[in-house]
């Protein structure tokens, strides 16, 4: 059987990337973290105009200078911006605070859309984000949409950040999660929304393992098996 594309969408900190990584590993597929791409462009914009602000016209004019790639390493997937490993920096609260404003910009969405669609051309990709099932791969063979309350997601993200040595209060994390939810779901282009043919999973009371089981069951129910 041929390979397929799998789209995983959902709001901030629903466990999308952990699940996408696990699925990709289990199926021997390529994992693509589209959030990391938006974060990398935000990082570039902040470096370009070092006053804690992003100069939007300058950033848009510089898109042709930006190259993003991923590498698999023993410590997991790393994100490279123009050849530099920025994986850790992309999780900073400053990026969290700015990324959704960058993700509304049409030129940036269209720049990344081309790259994302090319990556999925040969299938065998698990991609996570906000608009994968609706815009990037509207014909993906398998789509998931993950939901959970903002409080549960903020608690999860707070714990992850703590383990990564990022010092931010739970209240601040919750506020950012809510602000990004709002901005991501109300923007004009490619808003965060469930594709009609996506399987919605409320992950609030489910472990990662349990969600993984639901996903693999759904994939095999649809008739897709590992190559
Ligand atoms: O890890 P988390 O769920 O917090 O966020 P992420 O997946 O790294 O995405 C960061 C931000 O990038 C989101 O809040 C969106 O503003 C934007 N994004 C997007 O607009 N479209 C995507 N396909 C993926 C991310």
């Amino acid at each position: 059987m041929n390979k397929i594309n799998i789209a995983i969408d959902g709001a901030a900190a629903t466990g999308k990337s952990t699940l996408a990584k696990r699925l990709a590993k289990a199926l021997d597929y390529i994992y693509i973290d589209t959030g990391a791409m938006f974060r990398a462009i935000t990082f570039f914009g902040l470096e370009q105009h070092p006053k804690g602000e992003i100069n939007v016209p300058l950033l848009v004019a510089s898109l042709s200078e930006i190259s993003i790639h991923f590498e698999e390493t023993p410590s997991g997937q790393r994100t490279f911006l123009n050849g530099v490993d920025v994986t850790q920096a992309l999780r900073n609260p400053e990026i969290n605070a700015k990324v959704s404003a960058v993700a509304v910009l049409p030129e940036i969405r269209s720049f990344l859309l081309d790259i994302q669609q090319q990556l999925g051309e040969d299938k065998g990709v698990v991609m996570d984000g906000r608009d994968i099932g609706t815009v990037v791969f509207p014909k993906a063979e398998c789509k998931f949409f993950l939901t959970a309350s903002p409080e549960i997601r903020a608690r999860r993200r707070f714990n992850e950040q703590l383990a990564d040595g990022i010092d931010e209060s739970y209240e601040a994390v919750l506020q950012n999660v809510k602000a990004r939810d709002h901005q991501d779901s109300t923007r004009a282009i490619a808003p965060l929304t469930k594709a009609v043919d996506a399987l919605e999973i409320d992950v609030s009371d489910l472990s990662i393992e349990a969600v993984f089981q639901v996903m693999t069951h759904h994939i095999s129910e649809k008739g897709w098996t590992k190559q």
Side-chain angles (χ1 to χ4, degrees):
M1 201 177 291
N2 294 329
K3 290 194 172 191
I4 62 169
N5 281 336
I6 299 175
I8 306 182
D9 290 304
T14 38
K16 296 181 302 292
S17 64
T18 307
L19 286 152
K21 276 178 213 160
R22 278 201 58 178
L23 272 184
K25 197 166 179 209
L27 296 166
D28 207 11
Y29 276 20
I30 295 165
Y31 162 57
I32 309 285
D33 176 355
T34 62
M37 294 175 161
F38 286 95
R39 287 172 182 272
I41 292 190
T42 307
F43 179 87
F44 184 93
L46 284 166
E47 293 273 291
Q48 193 177 36
H49 198 254
K51 284 184 188 157
E53 290 301 325
I54 289 176
N55 179 330
V56 171
L58 180 64
L59 176 58
V60 166
S62 314
L63 286 175
S64 61
E65 295 163 26
I66 298 180
S67 111
I68 299 165
H69 80 272
F70 299 105
E71 277 180 27
E72 294 301 330
T73 74
S75 65
Q77 193 178 76
R78 316 288 303 175
T79 308
F80 290 78
L81 171 65
N82 292 339
V84 178
D85 183 345
V86 290
T87 315
Q88 204 61 36
L90 298 188
R91 307 311 304 180
N92 284 344
E94 196 185 8
I95 304 283
N96 289 337
K98 296 268 163 37
V99 63
S100 288
V102 168
V104 301
L105 301 168
E107 297 87 346
I108 288 172
R109 295 211 75 83
S110 127
F111 172 73
L112 288 181
L113 181 62
D114 284 348
I115 299 173
Q116 292 157 359
Q117 288 182 331
Q118 271 172 30
L119 287 167
E121 242 167 28
D122 297 331
K123 307 261 180 168
V125 160
V126 184
M127 193 173 275
D128 82 318
R130 303 291 186 287
D131 59 341
I132 313 306
T134 50
V135 175
V136 182
F137 299 145
K139 293 189 178 150
E141 290 80 359
C142 219
K143 301 180 184 178
F144 298 99
F145 190 80
L146 307 187
T147 63
S149 74
E151 288 74 17
I152 285 178
R153 291 184 285 121
R155 178 61 60 193
R156 188 194 294 247
R157 181 53 50 88
F158 172 75
N159 287 333
E160 278 169 11
Q161 293 193 168
L162 210 59
D164 272 353
I166 298 172
D167 180 24
E168 195 183 22
S169 70
Y170 166 77
E171 284 309 323
V173 175
L174 178 61
Q175 208 185 7
N176 175 259
V177 159
K178 286 182 172 171
R180 280 199 289 138
D181 282 358
H182 179 72
Q183 211 159 358
D184 292 345
S185 48
T186 55
R187 68 180 172 229
I189 304 172
L192 166 66
T193 182
K194 178 186 156 327
V196 280
D197 52 348
L199 176 72
E200 181 165 341
I201 309 173
D202 182 345
V203 302
S204 303
D205 299 316
L206 298 176
S207 64
I208 289 288
E209 181 55 34
V211 183
F212 180 71
Q213 294 304 331
V214 173
M215 288 178 152
T216 48
H217 181 72
H218 183 67
I219 293 168
S220 56
E221 247 187 353
K222 291 192 100 182
W224 305 104
T225 49
K226 191 182 165 183
Q227 290 305 294

